[in-house]
Amino acid sequence: MPDQDQQPVVWAPGTHDLGEGARWVDGRLVFTDILAGRLLEVSGTAPGTPRELLRLDVPLGAVAPVEGRPGHWIAAAGTGIALLGPDGSTEWLARPEEDAATPARMNDGVCDPQGRFWAGSMAYDATPGAGSLYRTDHDGTVHRVLTGLTIVNGPAFSADGRLLHVADSTAGVIHRCTLDADGNPLDMVEFARITDGGSPDGMTVDTEGRLWVAVWGSAAVHCYEPDGTLSAVVPLPAPQPTSVCLRPTGGRLLVTTARLGLPGAPPASGAVLAVPVDAAAPAAAAYRPR
């Protein structure tokens, strides 16, 4: 849980319009600047300046490493799902939002413990109900799993991969789904609702089964117990936190932030922040192609 005696610090300075997709990969933090199409990394052991790994000419929502292929990623990018090489080369698996009725893009994404990649979408103008959640299977096929959402954020999974948490940010709701062995939802229930004016954004599940959620517009991260009880609120010096990452060794919560739409934004907006916490989470799961 949060260490009340220590304050958040800037871990990686930056003025990213829309930092997102914080993931722990090979001992360091990787994250995206969505609208700039940039994938960045920063040391996981000491604060530092982010280094660009690659840049696309389309928005880049989030990535996961590809098992057995160092420097390769599966990505929620542009209007679909792509495999990225270290040089930024792109192999599109599918572009399900290419012909959307309202212009749309992919948003947040993560792999489940079984090695499947999940990613959400949203309309650029946040048209209600235009967002979907997609699952990319081991054979590279992409399936629409949930529809009727608006801004789909933060896929996050229990340790066994049977429970999926997904946020509909505009509605302020975090849903929880039980999945069958093939990754199909058996149900969907309301896990938690943000009622203080903020919106649930990126999230992760720690080793105790607690859900940590960046709350956009609320300058805070929320921590929920497995039963949905809000057990901690971590205040931040930036009003728009976007995603969270816990190190496997514990002791530090890393939070990406955004300065999009904030004239005269606080200095920490657009940076990566670090907060001492008594919690840990596994490193990002990799995509396992067949």
Side-chain angles (χ1 to χ4, degrees):
M1 303 309 289
D3 187 331
Q4 303 297 328
D5 297 327
Q6 299 189 55
Q7 299 299 313
V9 299
V10 172
W11 190 260
T15 56
H16 306 109
D17 276 345
L18 195 53
E20 251 283 13
R23 305 286 182 262
W24 190 265
V25 180
D26 296 332
R28 92 282 204 199
L29 180 76
V30 299
F31 65 101
T32 65
D33 189 356
I34 292 182
L35 300 181
R38 302 174 70 206
L39 179 63
L40 304 138
E41 69 171 1
V42 67
S43 168
T45 57
T49 301
R51 184 177 78 90
E52 184 176 298
L53 292 173
L54 56 84
R55 183 190 296 251
L56 304 181
D57 59 3
V58 294
L60 178 59
V63 303
V66 178
E67 187 174 78
R69 301 180 188 174
H72 289 73
W73 310 89
I74 188 170
T79 56
I81 308 298
L83 295 173
L84 308 179
D87 59 355
S89 58
T90 306
E91 175 190 345
W92 291 100
L93 299 179
R95 300 188 193 186
E97 298 291 351
E98 183 72 16
D99 298 316
T102 302
R105 66 168 174 83
M106 301 305 295
N107 199 38
D108 204 359
V110 69
C111 278
D112 64 19
Q114 285 73 23
R116 301 170 296 211
F117 185 64
W118 298 69
S121 68
M122 59 172 286
Y124 279 98
D125 66 358
T127 296
S132 297
L133 179 68
Y134 297 92
R135 185 191 72 238
T136 303
D137 288 341
H138 305 294
D139 61 0
T141 56
V142 178
H143 307 272
R144 184 181 270 115
V145 176
L146 296 176
T147 61
L149 306 174
T150 300
I151 297 178
V152 184
N153 257 307
F157 294 87
S158 60
D160 62 4
R162 294 299 303 273
L163 292 178
L164 159 70
H165 301 84
V166 61
D168 189 348
S169 297
T170 303
V173 175
I174 301 167
H175 301 286
R176 184 170 67 189
C177 300
T178 302
L179 304 177
D180 67 16
D182 295 321
N184 301 305
L186 300 174
D187 59 16
M188 185 168 75
V189 300
E190 182 175 309
F191 174 76
R193 180 178 292 268
I194 306 296
T195 58
D196 62 359
S199 301
D201 206 317
M203 58 184 75
T204 193
V205 177
D206 71 14
T207 54
E208 302 300 320
R210 299 173 299 206
L211 184 71
W212 297 74
V213 184
V215 184
W216 173 284
S218 194
V221 169
H222 287 185
C223 178
Y224 295 91
E225 296 298 318
D227 64 359
T229 301
L230 177 63
S231 57
V233 175
V234 182
L236 300 170
Q240 294 178 168
T242 54
S243 70
V244 292
C245 176
L246 288 161
R247 299 192 314 182
T249 54
R252 185 165 288 121
L253 174 71
L254 299 167
V255 185
T256 56
T257 67
R259 58 189 298 113
L260 184 68
L262 289 178
S269 293
V272 177
L273 307 176
V275 188
V277 294
D278 181 18
Y287 175 61
R288 301 176 198 156
R290 183 172 296 164

